[in-house]
Amino acid sequence: MPHLPTDQATPALTTEREQQRVAHLVLGEPRPKPKGANRRKKGKAPAVTLVPGIEERVQLRERWSHKTNGTAETHEHAAAQARREGSLARLVGTGAIDAHQLAAADQIAEAYHSITAEVAVRTANLEPRSSGGGPHSASHAPIAAVIRERAYARWREAVAPHGAMLLAIIVDDMALTTAARDWRLSNRRARSLLVSALDSWKRC
């Protein structure tokens, strides 16, 4: 029986993709220069295009290569957040908080909504619960949710004196100046409390 022809393009592409993945995503090597780029005297040499999936990640890294702190993904997320309206987005735009602090605010808000939603579900469940556990027992709770809940509890305790104001800004999207006025603080003091609270999240 004659052998059917095999397509050699797919294995070659897979090998090239793996080589580029290791070189650019694992080792962090820059985009390769086009052949003959050093001999060009005028004009800009066209960039070497990498395989799909690798090209997009390298573009992202190149887009934020001027930033010395933080990952490209963090800065990209912050830029996307800054393009939308909201008190935290405006604070990023003015430089009052940075990308890491914005990411912390998102995580705090996510934890808050997750916990309050879970409380609502538990409150609505009026069926008796046995001591032997069940679908609502702690052993069945996702580990990530438990860790997030504990981190939020520690953070909430740490910022307890000003927790209500901070949640109004982070969760309810209240303007910093409005929060400062409602809690009878100066704008500078309210901003300082917010920055300290966001920085403390990663330690919880």
Side-chain angles (χ1 to χ4, degrees), residues 21-41:
R21 186 190 71 82
V22 172
H24 301 292
L25 303 187
V26 178
L27 300 179
E29 295 181 3
R31 184 190 299 273
K33 294 182 179 180
K35 295 181 180 180
N38 294 332
R39 295 193 297 269
R40 290 176 178 267
K41 295 182 179 180

Side-chain angles (χ1 to χ4, degrees), residues 4-202:
L4 296 176
T6 58
D7 185 3
Q8 299 296 329
T10 301
L13 180 60
T14 302
T15 301
E16 181 182 8
R17 178 184 178 82
E18 181 62 17
Q19 290 175 347
Q20 291 186 8
R21 186 190 71 82
V22 172
H24 301 292
L25 303 187
V26 178
L27 300 179
E29 295 181 3
R31 184 190 299 273
K33 294 182 179 180
K35 295 181 180 180
N38 294 332
R39 295 193 297 269
R40 290 176 178 267
K41 295 182 179 180
K42 295 182 179 181
K44 185 177 180 181
V48 173
T49 302
L50 304 173
V51 299
I54 309 298
E55 172 67 24
E56 291 79 4
R57 295 288 299 277
V58 172
Q59 284 183 5
L60 177 64
R61 188 177 65 198
E62 291 172 342
R63 188 155 58 244
W64 298 104
S65 60
H66 61 287
K67 296 289 187 178
T68 57
N69 296 321
T71 64
E73 290 77 9
T74 298
H75 292 298
E76 186 75 6
H77 174 74
Q81 291 290 93
R83 287 192 291 268
R84 73 178 190 183
E85 294 183 357
S87 63
L88 292 174
R90 289 192 293 271
L91 292 176
V92 173
T94 60
I97 63 175
D98 60 24
H100 297 286
Q101 291 159 347
L102 178 62
D106 287 341
Q107 293 170 11
I108 293 169
E110 181 182 355
Y112 173 86
H113 289 302
S114 176
I115 292 170
T116 53
E118 179 65 19
V119 170
V121 170
R122 290 177 180 175
T123 303
N125 185 5
L126 302 180
E127 296 180 0
R129 296 171 59 183
S130 65
S131 59
H136 299 291
S137 63
S139 60
H140 288 77
I143 295 177
V146 173
I147 295 175
R148 182 172 59 238
E149 183 173 346
R150 290 179 178 176
Y152 177 83
R154 289 192 294 268
W155 177 83
R156 190 67 176 81
E157 182 179 359
V159 302
H162 307 284
M165 182 193 74
L166 294 169
L167 289 177
I169 298 172
I170 296 171
V171 177
D172 299 330
D173 204 29
M174 178 181 287
L176 180 67
T177 53
T178 302
R181 184 186 67 241
D182 290 353
W183 273 269
R184 299 182 179 181
L185 297 171
S186 67
N187 292 343
R188 182 177 181 180
R189 175 60 174 161
R191 173 187 169 184
S192 176
L193 290 171
L194 175 63
V195 170
S196 296
L198 295 178
D199 287 341
S200 69
W201 171 254
K202 60 185 177 183

